[in-house]
Amino acid sequence: MDVWLINVLIETIYLKQDDWAYDTQKQASAIGIKEGTIAAVLPMDQWTEDQPAKIIDGRNQLLLPGLVEKHCHLDKSKLGTAWRPVTPAASLVERFESEIPQLDALPLSIKDRAESLIDAELPHGTIFFRSHIDIEPMTELRYFDAIAGLLAQKSFGSELVLFPQHGLLRSQAKPLIEAALATGKAALIGGVDPYTLDEDYKASLKQTFELSTKHHTGIDIHLHDRQEAGRATIKEIIRLTHVHGLEGNVSISHAFGLNDFEGKERAQIFKALADLNIHIISSIPLSPHTIPPLKELQSYGVKVHIGCDNVYDSWSSLGDGSLQEKLVRYLEIFSINTQEALTEALGLVTDGKVTIDQTGLQQWPKVGDEANLVLTTATSSAAFVARKGVVSKSFYRGKVIWSTSNESPSPK
């Protein structure tokens, strides 16, 4: 083993009074980590120090899966600079055309501001970042190169989404997207409201899916459009996912238009999203009728995730980089309060990993899982979720990436 993480508590089953679950049973355990993967899960009384390995004492804290930030913008945050509220903008186009000059005029570099956002997220248990990076003529590859270079120095996990925020067709961003793809540093291609921005959603999505297929990337489309624009775009994404064989590699962020399907069509669309493994990513907006019907989508088997999205940038003065806070907002909106439902809700911020599954059996940790972990003083997954439990240490592929103790994290 490379590392033994000892004296940690893992959840095994629910504790119940009649049919009411009130807590979970925990087992003191030792986790063996080799080459970034969990190689052994042993009851503590069966563990012996029989070979050279680094030993980390978990001090009887609860072990949970690491949190995955599915939607952030490391190139946009103004964190670290003086407070200014959002400046007025008469339209979406005016907003994004004024944003880049505002960011470029800030006294802190893009790397320094990205570091501030990372530093805001890590204490809440984030071990992986999916970040969208603007790619259009106003930035060319400046933002992409800066963030890709920064992330290459880090020990946590990350993936970049090439994000033609000004419209793939409208800004004629395809050559820049291809130049960024040629570096091999991008995992996904994004886009924004192709119906309203590009004014030809079929041509825009066709180009996006062709680029994805050619370069073997995923897709993450930001879709705020409602009514016919939203419905038409979602149906075309479903069609193209099937045509290009991209099942499991397509996400729709925001997806407000899912609210506008009704009756049999609603059921058909939700089933198609599940069958094609198209993921829905939400920042849990509070504006009326914007948040997608996340619980209903989950009932069909659609994979749902939560991300922070804007954290003090040109679009919002709000946000503190806490995925835990976003998750609590979800719990409040959808009235999640049972031990089982709270435990399962953790999966919304861990890429689906939960300690105990819907059948009541232990699901995580298992031998073969990546060693992406957090230690917390919370007494259960449910308590961690409901009360925003304190994270004391985080690991990505077995390396300490954040800690409250005097122990230094692995080199950045």
Side-chain angles (χ1 to χ4, degrees), residues 126-322:
T126 301
I127 53 87
F128 191 100
F129 294 78
R130 173 185 286 189
S131 177
H132 301 75
I133 306 296
D134 280 10
I135 303 282
E136 60 264 320
M138 291 182 75
T139 62
E140 296 185 329
L141 300 188
R142 287 187 295 121
Y143 288 9
F144 174 74
D145 289 340
I147 300 300
L150 173 66
L151 293 178
Q153 304 168 24
K154 301 298 185 179
S155 295
F156 53 73
S158 62
E159 59 186 7
L160 294 181
V161 187
L162 305 178
F163 192 54
Q165 179 179 251
H166 298 191
L168 179 62
L169 303 183
R170 182 181 176 278
S171 64
Q172 300 180 336
K174 183 180 177 181
L176 290 170
I177 296 289
E178 294 202 289
L181 288 168
T183 69
K185 298 175 182 177
L188 301 99
I189 303 172
V192 182
D193 295 334
Y195 194 106
T196 52
L197 268 182
D198 284 331
E199 299 181 336
D200 187 342
Y201 71 99
K202 288 187 176 181
S204 179
L205 289 173
K206 179 176 183 290
Q207 194 170 107
T208 300
F209 274 79
E210 287 175 349
L211 283 167
S212 170
T213 302
K214 176 182 176 181
H215 294 277
H216 308 289
T217 72
I219 290 174
D220 188 344
I221 301 290
H222 289 197
L223 186 57
H224 314 84
D225 281 339
R226 297 296 306 271
Q227 304 303 327
E228 176 57 25
R231 292 195 303 269
T233 306
I234 289 167
K235 287 191 281 189
E236 185 67 0
I237 290 172
I238 289 171
R239 187 186 74 82
L240 289 171
T241 300
H242 174 69
V243 167
H244 287 265
L246 288 173
E247 294 88 342
N249 292 299
V250 175
S251 299
I252 307 176
S253 289
H254 304 302
F256 300 155
L258 287 172
N259 290 296
D260 300 323
F261 290 102
E262 298 178 350
K264 290 183 179 179
E265 186 180 41
R266 185 180 182 96
Q268 290 168 353
I269 292 296
F270 290 7
K271 184 177 185 300
L273 293 172
D275 290 345
L276 291 169
N277 197 11
I278 296 173
H279 297 221
I280 302 299
I281 303 171
S282 178
S283 61
I284 317 297
L286 291 176
S287 303
H289 312 301
T290 53
I291 186 170
L294 301 180
K295 287 297 293 180
E296 186 181 354
L297 289 164
Q298 289 173 289
S299 74
Y300 281 84
V302 178
K303 292 181 180 174
V304 172
H305 311 268
I306 290 174
C308 283
D309 194 8
N310 307 102
V311 178
Y312 183 43
D313 57 17
S314 296
W315 300 79
S316 174
S317 302
L318 309 177
D320 60 1
S322 172

Side-chain angles (χ1 to χ4, degrees), residues 91-108:
S91 66
L92 177 69
V93 172
E94 184 179 326
R95 172 71 64 205
F96 64 60
E97 287 187 343
S98 64
E99 175 188 27
I100 292 168
Q102 290 173 9
L103 293 176
D104 288 345
L106 291 172
L108 278 185

Side-chain angles (χ1 to χ4, degrees), residues 11-12 352-358 361-366 369:
E11 296 183 297
T12 56
K353 289 183 172 58
V354 293
T355 54
I356 300 175
D357 64 19
Q358 292 181 343
L361 298 177
Q362 182 189 341
Q363 179 183 344
W364 182 95
K366 299 285 189 185
D369 290 338

